[in-house]
Amino acid sequence: MRINNKHYRTVWYDATTNVVSMIDQVKLPFAFEIVELKDYKETAEAIRNMTVRGAGAIGATAGFAMAQAFKSFGHSTGDLQIAKDFIEATRPTAVNLFYATNKVFEAGQAGVEKAIDMAQSIADEDAEGCRLIGENGNELIKANSRILTHCNAGWLAFVDYGSALSPVYAAKNAGKEPFVYVDETRPRGQGARLTAFELYHNEVDHRIIADNAAAFYMSKGMVDMVITGADRITANGDVANKIGTLEKAIVAKEFGVPFYVAAPFSTFDFATQSGDMITIEERDAEELLYHEGPDSDNEMRTIRMASPGSQGLNPAFDVTPARYITAFITEKGIIKPSELKSFC
Ligand code: MRU
C-alpha cells in the first residue's frame, strides 16, 4: 500500500538485525510513525497493546516474534517454548496468531534459518492471499455499489491489501467507483480512524457513520452489500469478528442485504467446530469510558466519555452464526457456508 508515494507493508522483519518494524496503529490517523522492536517480548507487547492489530497483521507479527526468539535462543527448547507461550498469551481470538506461532515453531525444529524463512513466507502468503481476495471479491461488486463495512479489515489489518477492503480497492481500480459506509466501530474506533484513513488515501468515496446508523441505511435500501473481515471462522461457518458484526448481520438478513465475510484460509479454524467454542477477548473497559484524540492545537488528549463513577464492559468480538452469511470471499474463490465442509 502506498502512503505519500512510498510502498509500505504493515509489518516487516530484518533477520540480519533481528528487528521487527511496523506502522504504529495507535498513533494513526493523527501521525504516521514506524516503530522498531528488538526482541520477541517487545513485538508481543506491540500485539497486546494494539500497536499492530487485525487478524492477518497479528499473525504475521506473531510469526516474526517467534523468528526473533529462534534467532536469540537458537535451539534452547525451554526458552523457545516460553517465548511461544508469551506470544500466544497476547490476544486470544484471532486464530492467525496461533497459526503463525505453530508454523514457525515447527519449521524452526530444522534450524533457525527455517524459522526465519517460514515467518517470511507467512507474511508473503498473507499479502498474496489478500490480493486474490480482492480479485475474487471484485466479481461481486457492481458499478457504484454502496458497501457497508465494520471495523478495519483493510491493508492495516493484514500485511498488505486487506480482506474486506481488498475487493473495494480492486473495484476502484477497475473504475467501478464504489461507495463505502464506514461503521465508526466503538470503542476503539478502527472504522473511523483506520478504515477512513485507508479509504481517504486511496480516494475511495466514503462516509463514517455511527455504529447504530447501519440499520437506518439498510432499511432505506441504501446499502447494496456488507463486507466484513473475520478473526476466526469455525468448521460450521460461524464467524468471530469485531464486536457489532453480529448486529449488522442480523439487520442485513432482515432487509435482504447480502452479507459477505472476506478472509484468507489462515483465518479458518477447522479444528474448532462452532463459534460458541471461541474465546472472546474481554478488553479493559477504559477503552469504552475514555477517548483519545488531538485537540485544536494538535496535542493528544484523553477525555472521559461516560458518567464519572460508572464502570463498563468491553467484549472485543462477537460471533455471527453461519446462517447470516451469504458467502466467504477467500483467495480460493467465493465459498458458501454450506460448501465449507469440502475444505475441512
Ligand atoms: O481488535 P482488532 O482491531 O485486532 O480487531 C480485529 C479486526 O480488525 C476486526 O475484527 C476485523 O474486522 C477482522 S481482522 C481482519
Side-chain angles (χ1 to χ4, degrees):
M1 189 49 57
R2 296 188 81 75
I3 295 289
N4 300 330
N5 276 331
K6 189 167 173 208
H7 178 263
Y8 286 93
R9 282 186 163 192
T10 304
V11 56
W12 61 97
Y13 172 53
D14 181 340
T16 317
T17 57
N18 206 23
V19 167
V20 171
S21 304
M22 61 179 63
I23 296 168
D24 186 339
Q25 299 197 38
V26 172
K27 300 257 173 69
L28 280 176
F30 308 113
F32 185 83
E33 291 178 14
I34 308 297
V35 287
E36 296 190 341
L37 308 157
K38 64 177 184 324
D39 59 31
Y40 83 83
K41 283 193 176 167
E42 286 188 3
T43 306
E45 173 58 18
I47 297 174
R48 198 201 55 75
N49 69 24
M50 293 175 72
T51 301
V52 64
R53 29 70 47 206
I58 288 173
T61 305
F64 287 147
M66 203 64 247
Q68 281 179 305
F70 270 96
K71 183 101 178 162
S72 301
F73 303 129
H75 273 95
S76 168
T77 315
D79 288 329
L80 290 168
Q81 188 61 52
I82 289 168
K84 184 169 183 283
D85 294 346
F86 190 85
I87 298 162
E88 290 181 344
T90 51
R91 298 196 68 190
T93 307
V95 74
N96 303 61
L97 189 156
F98 307 92
Y99 169 88
T101 49
N102 284 323
K103 285 195 95 158
V104 176
F105 191 81
E106 278 162 30
Q109 303 312 312
V112 174
E113 288 309 313
K114 297 281 182 210
I116 292 168
D117 290 350
M118 178 56 76
Q120 194 52 57
S121 72
I122 288 170
D124 292 344
E125 275 165 23
D126 181 88
E128 177 58 9
C130 286
R131 190 187 68 74
L132 291 169
I133 285 171
E135 276 185 11
N136 295 334
N138 179 28
E139 304 288 321
L140 301 167
I141 299 177
K142 299 194 178 75
N144 305 114
S145 275
R146 298 156 301 177
I147 301 162
L148 186 137
T149 194
H150 191 69
C151 194
N152 172 261
W155 68 274
L156 287 163
F158 287 85
V159 174
D160 208 347
Y161 297 97
S163 58
L165 294 188
S166 188
V168 172
Y169 295 137
K172 171 78 184 175
N173 292 339
K176 294 180 186 173
E177 295 303 333
F179 172 85
V180 182
Y181 294 96
V182 179
D183 286 348
E184 60 174 344
T185 319
R186 287 277 291 143
R188 294 278 301 210
Q190 290 96 330
R193 289 175 178 237
L194 304 176
T195 298
F197 172 84
E198 286 195 24
L199 294 175
Y200 176 80
H201 281 276
N202 282 278
E203 298 176 0
V204 176
D205 194 10
H206 66 283
R207 298 290 183 279
I208 299 164
I209 61 170
D211 287 323
N212 41 16
F216 170 80
Y217 288 110
M218 289 198 234
S219 73
K220 297 279 179 202
M222 292 169 71
V223 179
D224 298 309
M225 62 203 298
V226 179
I227 312 181
T228 73
D231 292 271
R232 191 183 291 242
I233 302 168
T234 54
N236 69 343
D238 291 350
V239 171
N241 195 52
K242 183 53 57 190
I243 191 77
T245 304
L246 170 61
E247 224 175 74
K248 307 301 170 262
I250 294 170
V251 173
K253 190 164 183 129
E254 171 67 21
F255 293 111
V257 178
F259 189 94
Y260 292 101
V261 173
F265 263 72
S266 52
T267 302
F268 286 80
D269 176 9
F270 294 125
T272 301
Q273 275 317 301
S274 60
D276 51 2
M277 298 165 80
I278 298 173
T279 303
I280 299 294
E281 178 181 13
E282 187 75 36
R283 293 189 64 87
D284 195 329
E286 303 279 286
E287 291 182 348
L288 179 71
L289 304 175
Y290 293 86
H291 216 61
E292 196 189 43
D295 65 13
S296 52
D297 296 322
N298 235 12
E299 290 293 321
M300 290 304 279
R301 298 268 182 245
T302 301
I303 56 162
R304 183 153 177 115
M305 307 276 293
S307 180
S310 293
Q311 303 300 309
L313 294 171
N314 187 18
F317 302 93
D318 57 27
V319 174
T320 300
R323 64 179 179 279
Y324 292 107
I325 293 155
T326 307
F328 298 105
I329 306 172
T330 77
E331 69 273 41
K332 298 183 186 178
I334 310 296
I335 302 168
K336 294 203 177 100
S338 59
E339 297 166 341
L340 264 189
K341 279 186 237 35
S342 58
F343 292 89
C344 290

